[in-house]
Amino acid sequence: MPKFSQAKLSKKLLALLSLSGVLVMGLPAIGFAQGNSGFTIFSGVDNRSDILDYYLQFNGRSGQRDRYKLYIPAKKMTQGAKVLYVSYPENFDGTFDVDKVRVETKRQGNIEIEDVVWDKESRFLQIVLAEPAEPNSQVTITLSNVTNPSLGTYYMVADAMVSGDIPVRVYLGTWIVSINR
């Protein structure tokens, strides 16, 4: 029976544990859909707090169907909103399904939608809510059955018509959406 020195055994055990750790940590990345990169050095958005999170459920493959979850944090919804706008750049060549739009908040749950207008010429979606999203509540806009645009990065802007006596359209932030493969 061969003898192993304790130093050799320790080195092999350490190598095995290191390799296992790399494999285990690498696997979750394969299972998750694409979301916000989390750290963007040069974004083109002046204030870093204006970069909003998003999630592409089916990995953001160019030309494929996907579901976008666009998040607006509670700190951005200081006055609530009766109408939400999602604007997109001129080079965005994807499509939206206005019948597959959903809005929800943590407090109110799903909010009934009165109307969704896709203005292709002006490049925005207008989402009119039956009841306003409450102030200081996190909002999730879910766009299902979206056809992803060509490869690239797209700056999608969130605006809201605040719910109050005087309707004012305010900027909420920007989703920096990356489409791959």
Side-chain angles (χ1 to χ4, degrees):
M1 186 115 180
K3 290 186 177 178
F4 290 104
S5 71
Q6 197 148 27
K8 282 185 179 180
L9 186 59
S10 293
K11 284 182 181 179
K12 287 184 179 189
L13 183 59
L14 183 60
L16 181 63
L17 287 173
S18 296
L19 181 60
S20 299
V22 168
L23 289 174
V24 169
M25 293 306 288
L27 289 178
I30 295 168
F32 291 114
Q34 181 176 347
N36 199 15
S37 62
F39 183 71
T40 307
I41 296 173
F42 302 107
S43 68
V45 177
D46 292 336
N47 189 347
R48 294 198 51 73
S49 67
D50 288 336
I51 299 174
L52 304 176
D53 288 334
Y54 71 93
Y55 175 76
L56 303 181
Q57 189 166 355
F58 303 114
N59 298 317
R61 292 187 185 119
S62 177
Q64 300 294 313
R65 296 272 184 208
D66 218 325
R67 178 174 297 124
Y68 292 20
K69 289 191 176 260
L70 307 173
Y71 302 108
I72 303 170
K75 66 182 177 185
K76 295 286 186 175
M77 295 292 295
T78 57
Q79 300 178 49
K82 174 70 173 160
V83 182
L84 298 168
Y85 298 91
V86 177
S87 304
Y88 54 91
E90 191 172 342
N91 64 335
F92 184 95
D93 57 354
T95 63
F96 300 102
D97 185 342
V98 295
D99 296 324
K100 300 288 183 174
V101 176
R102 194 175 85 202
V103 175
E104 62 184 304
T105 70
K106 290 210 179 249
R107 282 190 240 152
Q108 294 170 276
N110 286 333
I111 298 177
E112 186 178 335
I113 294 175
E114 204 170 280
D115 192 23
V116 177
V117 176
W118 179 16
D119 188 331
K120 295 176 188 176
E121 186 175 308
S122 298
R123 298 180 313 280
F124 69 84
L125 287 173
Q126 175 184 340
I127 306 164
V128 181
L129 305 175
E131 63 179 270
E134 293 178 356
N136 303 310
S137 60
Q138 177 182 322
V139 173
T140 302
I141 301 171
T142 303
L143 306 174
S144 296
N145 206 23
V146 174
T147 302
N148 285 325
S150 303
L151 278 182
T153 301
Y154 300 91
Y155 286 56
M156 299 176 77
V157 175
D159 291 314
M161 189 71 69
V162 295
S163 52
D165 294 336
I166 302 171
V168 177
R169 186 168 168 169
V170 296
Y171 169 74
L172 300 174
T174 300
W175 298 283
I176 304 174
V177 178
S178 294
I179 302 299
N180 300 320
R181 296 176 230 152

